[in-house]
Amino acid sequence: MENLAVVAHAANDLRIEDVGAPAPAADEAIVDIAFGGICGSDLHYWMHGAAGASVLRAPMTLGHEVSGVVSVPAADGSGPAEGTPVAVHPLTPQGDGRTPWPADRPNLAPASTYLGSAMHVPHTQGAFARRVAVPTRMLHAVPDGLDLRIAALAEPAAVAWHAVARAGDVRGRSVAVIGAGPIGQLVAAVAQRAGASSITVTDLHPQPRAIAEARGAVGIDARDAEAIAALHADVVVESSGTVPGLAAAISAAVRGGTVVLLGLQRAGEVAVPMATAITRELSLIGSFRFGTEFGEVIAALADGTLDVSGIISHVEPAHDALDAFALAADPSRSCKVLLDFGVEADGADARDQSLR
């Protein structure tokens, strides 16, 4: 295929197809995608034809967690030069002309677009393709020595970074993370970097607990309600996006503690143990995507202070995306699954570089 892409057509209808050569606008560079991380939203589009309120109404190329190399710079002279390895910030913030939002928090702009999102019609096409036209404002140069596989974690790591920041200064504070999937793993890693005194993760499956434990966290079976209630954590980050996870997060918090609501709950009414939250004077704080942290995250990945070891569990060829998606959907077998689009950087195959 000239430009292999991973395209969702409807529920249970994921296709590997040629989307043709990209046609960049003047302020867009062509990026040869190296690696793309399969996100929970990508899985929802594949399995359900929708991610929350974003419903597929037309075929859409998936993917927003990507790294690559600029092959054709933007015609207007903006952005990185040819050959620059980059990570992609997938958000385009914009207002709707009527809903107020804080200008310093672009993630809250009410009419924003995101790569690989069906929120708007026409859909915002994603970046799971060998060659993609990307606005230069989205491109962040990757420092020398940062493996492009690790750089593909920049977007989900920024989500985790933002969630920890929403809790305030966590230095010397105990942190619990409900749900040890890829985002939960990254939350634990960010909290560790930020100086948390202890980190506990919960999950239904032993493998994700073991991955976090290898980086110094304590793992608890998510079904052990007594152990979770005994945590009395200063900060709890709910990253499972489940109703039981939300109840567990409130149960795990110390009196006067903070609960960050990161996992996206289902639409509509959700049962919450509010009496406990009220009588413990818990601070319940929402966290959605991320804002201006992307550059900081890339720097922390590059200098190794953000330890993401073990989080990338599988790297699969993009032409085997159907199998890779099935693997990513099974948390007992995988953590973060990357698609490998086969791009070479600086004359060396990115797949041959060692992971931390």
Side-chain angles (χ1 to χ4, degrees):
M1 292 186 183
E2 175 187 338
N3 192 17
L4 176 152
V6 181
V7 182
H9 284 252
N12 296 309
D13 186 1
L14 188 69
R15 306 180 195 179
I16 312 303
E17 56 191 39
D18 190 344
V19 294
D27 64 346
E28 294 180 331
I30 293 179
V31 176
D32 292 354
I33 299 299
F35 297 98
I38 299 174
C39 175
S41 64
D42 298 317
L43 294 175
H44 281 294
Y45 285 125
W46 164 50
M47 293 187 291
H48 310 299
S54 301
V55 180
L56 279 175
R57 294 176 174 85
M60 182 178 74
T61 300
L62 298 177
H64 56 266
E65 303 176 6
V66 294
S67 63
V69 178
V70 174
S71 59
V72 180
D76 66 1
S78 63
E82 179 182 355
T84 303
V86 294
V88 177
H89 187 319
L91 174 69
T92 298
Q94 56 190 34
D96 60 8
R98 60 184 183 277
T99 306
W101 54 282
D104 61 343
R105 297 163 75 177
N107 54 311
L108 300 183
S112 296
T113 60
Y114 216 74
L115 295 182
S117 171
M119 176 62 72
H120 302 286
V121 179
H123 300 332
T124 306
Q125 298 297 315
F128 279 174
R130 284 181 175 153
R131 306 189 81 208
V132 180
V134 182
T136 56
R137 67 178 179 276
M138 293 184 175
L139 301 180
H140 290 246
V142 170
D144 292 341
L146 178 58
D147 190 298
L148 286 176
R149 287 173 294 187
I150 298 296
L153 292 179
E155 193 274 350
V159 171
W161 191 288
H162 185 73
V164 173
R166 293 284 290 150
D169 189 353
V170 301
R171 285 178 295 180
R173 304 173 75 190
S174 56
V175 175
V177 184
I178 308 299
I183 293 295
Q185 297 282 347
L186 289 164
V187 168
V190 172
Q192 183 179 51
R193 181 185 183 276
S197 61
S198 66
I199 299 166
T200 303
V201 304
T202 75
D203 203 90
L204 293 170
H205 303 287
Q207 182 182 17
R209 298 197 301 266
I211 291 171
E213 288 167 350
R215 297 194 312 277
V218 174
I220 294 179
D221 191 313
R223 290 161 290 213
D224 192 341
E226 184 176 345
I228 292 171
L231 286 174
H232 303 293
D234 298 313
V235 173
V236 184
V237 181
E238 201 302 298
S239 67
S240 74
T242 66
V243 175
L246 179 55
I250 291 175
S251 171
V254 73
R255 292 172 181 267
T258 298
V259 177
V260 178
L261 308 176
L262 174 58
L264 189 60
Q265 294 287 330
R266 69 190 185 203
E269 295 183 359
V270 173
V272 183
M274 288 304 298
T276 302
I278 292 167
T279 58
R280 292 187 185 180
E281 288 195 353
L282 301 181
S283 297
L284 306 184
I285 299 175
S287 184
F288 182 63
R289 293 177 177 165
F290 56 95
T292 60
E293 303 95 336
F294 205 65
E296 293 177 89
V297 172
I298 292 174
L301 290 171
D303 66 20
T305 58
L306 182 56
D307 180 6
V308 296
S309 56
I311 294 176
I312 298 174
S313 60
H314 297 79
V315 181
E316 304 293 329
H319 58 76
D320 290 335
L322 294 176
D323 291 338
F325 269 61
L327 180 62
D330 184 353
S332 69
R333 298 174 56 213
S334 69
C335 190
K336 174 58 72 175
V337 178
L338 299 188
L339 297 178
D340 179 357
F341 288 87
V343 167
E344 296 183 359
D346 296 329
D349 192 328
R351 290 167 293 183
D352 291 336
Q353 301 174 33
S354 61
L355 289 172
R356 290 192 184 89

